[in-house]
């Protein structure tokens, strides 16, 4: 398993200050985000859990998954959640030529536009993006959204309890929190998400979306 920060280091936030890592506020607003969907059954379950707590979230969707699950994608919009671009094919920017990477982002954008969803927010898969790729996307008008707290639900070597603790021990007002509505994350997600939502609600946090 490659190294990752559960709580993004403040030095990293300063060095890459043109990215959105958190959204500071005094109202205890936090920003739940879900990557890699929409995924049959899992995304539907996530929506059901969010509804129980009257919580809205931001879903960074993969273009090919949108095309394969249009009805489910439309449900995200109907239920008032925000949608972001996560490339067409979950592309690793560090391993991609800049022109190819930008084209993949644009292909996802075209799918989003077909569904009349055009929020200019983007999250690079794996959090990996080259400076040149970032520069082009920001010139095109995209806000590049990273994260403050990583649940690490994708890490199948950690326990569901640890996944929950990653969030509850690190969340603060303004945190952008990452979960994944994906098959890989399911074992951790199904335990951690309901308990995270309960914890946040009980501790006075409110939920907002990124646009």
């Amino acid at each position: 398993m490659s190294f990752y920060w559960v709580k993004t280091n403040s030095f990293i936030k300063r060095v890459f200050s043109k990215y959105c890592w958190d959204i500071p506020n005094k109202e205890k607003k936090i920003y739940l985000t879900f990557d890699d969907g929409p995924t049959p059954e899992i995304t539907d379950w996530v929506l059901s859990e969010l509804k129980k707590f009257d919580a809205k979230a931001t879903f960074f969707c993969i273009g090919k998954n949108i095309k394969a699950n249009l009805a489910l994608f439309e449900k995200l919009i109907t239920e008032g959640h925000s949608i972001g671009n996560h490339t067409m094919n979950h592309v690793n920017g560090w391993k991609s030529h800049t022109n190819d990477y930008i084209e993949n982002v644009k292909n996802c954008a075209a799918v989003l536009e077909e569904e009349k969803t055009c929020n200019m927010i983007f999250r690079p898969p794996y959090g990996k993006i080259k400076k040149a790729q970032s520069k082009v996307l920001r010139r095109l008008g995209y806000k590049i959204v990273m994260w403050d707290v990583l649940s690490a639900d994708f890490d199948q070597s950690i326990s569901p309890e640890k996944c929950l603790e990653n969030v509850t021990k690190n969340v603060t007002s303004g945190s952008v929190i990452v979960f994944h509505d994906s098959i890989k994350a399911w074992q951790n997600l199904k335990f951690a998400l309901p308990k995270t939502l309960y914890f946040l609600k009980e501790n006075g946090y409110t939920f907002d979306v990124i646009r």
Side-chain angles (χ1 to χ4, degrees):
M1 171 53 63
S2 59
F3 173 81
Y4 55 82
W5 272 298
V6 167
K7 180 75 171 178
T8 301
N9 187 284
S10 59
F11 174 74
I12 294 295
K13 292 180 182 180
R14 289 196 301 272
V15 171
F16 298 98
S17 60
K18 291 179 180 176
Y19 300 162
C20 173
W21 297 95
D22 49 25
I23 305 174
N25 64 82
K26 297 179 181 178
E27 302 161 309
K28 293 194 80 171
K29 287 182 184 177
I30 57 91
Y31 301 82
L32 290 175
T33 68
F34 295 86
D35 289 2
D36 298 354
T39 308
E41 298 181 5
I42 297 174
T43 303
D44 232 342
W45 176 85
V46 169
L47 289 174
S48 176
E49 292 301 310
L50 292 173
K51 190 175 288 186
K52 290 176 186 176
F53 292 87
D54 193 29
K56 301 302 180 189
T58 303
F59 288 79
F60 288 92
C61 296
I62 297 171
K64 69 174 183 179
N65 288 348
I66 296 171
K67 294 189 76 167
N69 304 285
L70 276 177
L72 184 53
F73 177 72
E74 288 165 2
K75 189 173 180 181
L76 293 175
I77 300 168
T78 301
E79 297 195 2
H81 302 286
S82 183
I83 307 296
N85 187 319
H86 201 47
T87 74
M88 190 70 185
N89 304 98
H90 204 257
V91 178
N92 184 330
W94 291 3
K95 297 180 179 179
S96 305
H97 187 279
T98 294
N99 289 343
D100 295 336
Y101 190 79
I102 300 303
E103 190 64 25
N104 205 274
V105 174
K106 287 181 175 179
N107 288 343
C108 183
V111 174
L112 293 173
E113 287 167 13
E114 285 175 14
E115 298 304 311
K116 299 180 173 59
T117 304
C118 55
N119 292 332
M120 295 297 287
I121 55 175
F122 173 76
R123 174 173 285 155
Y126 314 102
K128 295 179 177 178
I129 184 170
K130 294 176 184 175
K131 184 177 180 180
Q133 295 162 350
S134 164
K135 188 174 181 180
V136 173
L137 290 176
R138 286 185 287 110
R139 192 186 306 131
L140 290 171
Y142 282 97
K143 177 194 291 185
I144 298 176
V145 181
M146 296 302 214
W147 55 81
D148 176 50
V149 177
L150 194 63
S151 71
D153 53 355
F154 59 85
D155 187 347
Q156 296 173 326
S157 72
I158 69 169
S159 68
E161 291 80 7
K162 176 59 177 170
C163 178
L164 172 63
E165 183 181 287
N166 285 343
V167 180
T168 59
K169 298 290 187 184
N170 291 290
V171 64
T172 56
S173 182
S175 286
V176 174
I177 303 167
V178 180
F179 285 101
H180 294 77
D181 51 331
S182 67
I183 293 169
K184 186 177 182 180
W186 174 237
Q187 282 300 116
N188 286 329
L189 181 70
K190 68 182 180 181
F191 175 87
L193 181 60
K195 290 177 171 56
T196 295
L197 289 165
Y198 179 81
F199 171 88
L200 293 170
K201 202 81 169 181
E202 284 293 296
N203 285 275
Y205 289 99
T206 59
F207 307 94
D208 206 349
V209 299
I210 305 169
R211 298 194 189 279

